[in-house]
C-alpha cells in the first residue's frame, strides 16, 4: 500500500510531518536566546573554550522572571563521528488566568480563576564536538555549576538515559534534583509539545536550528523521529525540559 501511495504521489504516514504549520513555530519564537551563538563547537581540551564564553552575561545577571524555577534537560551526544550535537534547554512555566468559573458554597457564588500554564524556553543551545574529538562532559558540568554561582533558579536537571548517569550523579552531589527522561521511548513528550504549540501555550527563543529540527520531524504513528537530512538533538532537549517542568 505504501509503495502504491508513493507511486501515486501521496505521502505515506511514515513520511508525514509532525508539525504541519511553520507559521505557528515562527509565531512562538519571540525571545532572544541569551547566548552569542546558538550552535557552537566545544573543544575537548581544557583551556580551549567553555560554554560560559558564549553566554550573554547581561541577561544571566538579570534574568526574566527570576521567581520561576527552571528545568534544564540535556540531550547527550559525544563524538563528531556520530554527527550529533549535545542539546541543552532550560524551561519554566507561568500560570495564566484564562477565564473564571463559578463555585457555589453555602449558598454563595464565587467567581474563581481557571488557570493553566504557559511554558517558556529560557535558553536553548546546541554543542558540536570538534572534528575527531568528543564533547567534554566536565565542561558541561562546569557550565551547570557556574549557573548555580549566578543564582540561576534551577529546580531540576534531567537528561536522556543514554550514558547520562555519571553527569546526573555529579549534579546530585552539587545539591541539584535530577531525573532521567527519554523522549524517544514514547511519543507523549512530543505530542504534549505540539498541543502546547497549537494552543499558543509555548513561547520559544529565536533559534534557526531548533526551527529546522521542528519542521523536519516526522511521525509514523509509533515514534516521532527526524528525517535523514535533519537531526533532533535540540528539539529533544526542549521536549525533555518541558516534560520535566510539566510533571513537577
Amino acid at each position: 500500500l505504501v509503495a502504491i501511495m508513493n507511486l501515486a504521489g501521496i505521502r505515506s504516514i511514515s513520511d508525514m510531518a509532525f508539525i504541519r504549520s511553520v507559521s505557528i513555530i515562527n509565531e512562538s519564537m519571540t525571545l532572544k536566546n541569551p547566548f552569542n551563538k546558538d550552535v557552537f563547537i566545544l573543544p575537548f581540551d581544557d583551556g580551549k573554550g567553555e560554554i560560559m564564553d558564549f553566554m550573554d552575561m547581561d541577561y544571566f545577571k538579570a534574568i526574566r522572571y527570576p521567581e520561576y524555577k527552571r528545568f534544564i534537560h540535556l540531550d547527550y551526544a559525544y563524538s563528531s563521528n556520530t554527527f550529533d550535537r549535545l542539546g541543552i534547554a532550560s524551561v519554566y512555566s507561568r500560570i495564566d488566568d484564562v477565564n473564571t468559573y463559578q463555585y457555589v458554597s453555602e449558598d454563595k457564588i464565587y467567581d474563581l480563576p481557571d488557570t493553566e500554564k504557559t511554558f517558556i524556553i529560557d535558553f536553548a543551545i546546541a554543542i558540536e564536538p570538534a572534528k575527531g574529538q568528543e564533547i567534554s562532559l566536565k565542561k558541561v558540568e562546569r557550565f551547570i555549576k557556574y549557573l548555580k554561582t549566578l543564582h540561576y533558579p534551577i529546580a531540576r536537571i534531567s537528561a536522556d538515559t543514554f550514558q547520562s548517569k555519571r553527569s546526573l550523579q555529579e549534579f546530585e552531589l552539587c545539591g541539584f534534583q535530577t531525573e532521567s527522561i527519554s523522549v524517544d521511548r514514547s511519543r507523549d513528550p512530543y505530542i504534549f509539545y505540539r498541543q502546547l504549540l497549537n494552543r499558543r501555550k509555548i513561547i520559544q527563543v529565536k533559534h534557526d536550528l531548533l526551527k529546522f529540527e521542528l519542521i523536519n520531524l516526522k511521525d509514523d504513528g509509533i515514534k516521532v523521529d527526524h528525517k535523514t537530512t535533519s537531526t533532533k538533538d535540540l528539539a529533544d532537549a526542549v521536549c525533555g525540559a518541558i516534560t520535566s517542568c510539566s510533571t513537577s
Side-chain angles (χ1 to χ4, degrees):
L1 178 59
V2 171
I4 295 173
M5 290 172 66
N6 289 337
L7 286 172
I10 303 172
R11 299 174 65 190
S12 65
I13 293 176
S14 62
D15 219 14
M16 293 293 283
F18 181 69
I19 299 173
R20 309 287 180 83
S21 173
V22 177
S23 63
I24 291 180
I25 298 174
N26 289 332
E27 289 172 16
S28 71
M29 292 186 168
T30 60
L31 301 176
K32 181 181 181 296
N33 200 27
F35 285 78
N36 57 39
K37 284 187 177 181
D38 297 331
V39 183
F40 51 86
I41 295 173
L42 190 67
F44 183 81
D45 299 333
D46 280 344
K48 292 188 177 180
E50 297 281 347
I51 298 175
M52 292 79 83
D53 298 337
F54 299 92
M55 296 170 66
D56 178 354
M57 293 309 303
D58 289 338
Y59 174 75
F60 283 97
K61 291 177 180 177
I63 64 171
R64 291 180 292 263
Y65 300 106
E67 67 273 22
Y68 292 116
K69 297 291 187 180
R70 269 59 172 176
F71 294 78
I72 295 177
H73 185 79
L74 300 97
D75 185 77
Y76 276 96
Y78 298 97
S79 172
S80 61
N81 297 327
T82 62
F83 303 105
D84 288 332
R85 303 178 181 91
L86 188 151
I88 307 177
S90 176
V91 170
Y92 63 97
S93 62
R94 190 179 65 213
I95 295 177
D96 300 319
D97 291 339
V98 179
N99 47 45
T100 60
Y101 67 94
Q102 291 188 333
Y103 173 72
V104 180
S105 176
E106 297 179 353
D107 298 325
K108 293 182 181 179
I109 298 177
Y110 299 90
D111 287 331
L112 299 179
D114 183 13
T115 60
E116 56 182 279
K117 292 180 178 179
T118 294
F119 292 81
I120 298 95
I121 314 302
D122 202 28
F123 69 77
I125 52 174
I127 301 170
E128 297 180 351
K131 186 175 181 180
Q133 296 183 1
E134 296 180 349
I135 291 174
S136 169
L137 298 186
K138 287 185 178 180
K139 291 186 177 183
V140 176
E141 292 160 10
R142 281 202 288 264
F143 165 63
I144 299 296
K145 294 175 184 177
Y146 182 67
L147 289 177
K148 186 176 182 179
T149 68
L150 297 177
H151 304 290
Y152 188 76
I154 300 173
R156 184 186 299 151
I157 301 169
S158 58
D160 58 10
T161 54
F162 177 65
Q163 299 182 6
S164 62
K165 188 173 183 179
R166 179 215 179 274
S167 290
L168 292 182
Q169 288 178 340
E170 184 68 23
F171 296 142
E172 287 177 8
L173 291 174
C174 294
F176 292 112
Q177 291 186 24
T178 67
E179 68 176 329
S180 295
I181 294 175
S182 174
V183 299
D184 286 325
R185 292 181 178 179
S186 168
R187 295 168 71 244
D188 292 347
Y190 271 102
I191 295 295
F192 182 57
Y193 173 89
R194 186 172 62 184
Q195 290 173 345
L196 292 173
L197 191 66
N198 289 336
R199 294 172 56 242
R200 274 66 174 182
K201 286 296 178 181
I202 184 169
I203 302 172
Q204 307 190 92
V205 292
K206 299 174 183 176
H207 201 298
D208 288 341
L209 175 63
L210 178 58
K211 180 166 68 174
F212 177 78
E213 289 189 346
L214 293 171
I215 292 171
N216 285 282
L217 291 172
K218 63 179 183 178
D219 184 13
D220 63 4
I222 300 174
K223 182 181 179 180
V224 177
D225 208 343
H226 61 85
K227 298 178 182 178
T228 55
T229 55
S230 179
T231 57
K232 69 181 186 78
D233 308 294
L234 197 55
D236 280 355
V238 167
C239 284
I242 289 175
T243 299
S244 181
C245 185
S246 67
T247 58
S248 67

